[in-house]
Amino acid sequence: FFSAAVPIIMGCGGSSSQVKYTNPKFVAHKDEYESLDLSEGELNKLLKIFKNIDADDSGQVDIYELVAALQLDSVFQQKVFKMFDADGSGNINFFEMVLAMWDYCTLSSQTLVAFAFNLYDTNKNGTLSQKEIKQVLQDVYGELRSNNVILKKAMEELSASSQKNEFDLNSFYSFTKKHPNIMLPAFEMQN
């Protein structure tokens, strides 16, 4: 899903500022697509990817179709999906998918860490407890966590840490910098 779309999303910039969209699926959100500098050809490629994921041909993709397309399943992916489901319907339409891919695939390593932090800072107090950080890491790795040596080492260090209280974003970022592979599955979703 993302791997086929990333070259399209990341390669944006070749479109003209006044694109004429002839496909009716694109006209309703013409201004948004133009602001992302997506050409009709790029949107057609993304639409093809979307249709391949939309197994029931409903014009909407649900979490099960997305998981099947990604061939991965983690709580983190489900949380990301829910966040990008702008209307809260439990499905994403083509427009929501384009925006979600743009938003997620263009995150830098630092902003992806901040994205994950904010996703799990459910009470919005600007901190995560050790328990919440462990939950982030378990959710990011999904089923892969049980035999991942890198993750186990990071979790052990986190448990032994003298910082037993809360981690702010800078502390969390420092932790992920010290253990760069702990967020790897989240970065792999971009590829």
Side-chain angles (χ1 to χ4, degrees), residues 155-167:
M155 297 283 264
E156 287 169 6
E157 185 177 317
L158 185 61
S159 293
S161 171
S162 61
Q163 187 170 357
K164 296 286 183 193
N165 297 324
E166 310 261 313
F167 283 69

Side-chain angles (χ1 to χ4, degrees), residues 4-58:
V6 168
I8 298 166
I9 295 293
M10 299 304 279
C12 293
S15 306
S16 66
S17 60
Q18 286 295 338
V19 177
K20 181 174 181 182
Y21 299 108
T22 57
N23 186 325
K25 286 198 175 286
F26 308 150
V27 174
H29 299 287
K30 173 184 158 313
D31 294 339
E32 292 89 343
Y33 295 140
E34 282 181 357
S35 71
L36 298 177
D37 208 16
L38 291 169
S39 70
E40 184 160 11
E42 291 165 331
L43 288 169
N44 280 321
K45 289 176 186 176
L46 292 171
L47 184 59
K48 184 178 178 184
I49 293 167
F50 181 83
K51 286 181 176 183
N52 286 335
I53 297 167
D54 183 16
D56 63 2
D57 201 28
S58 65

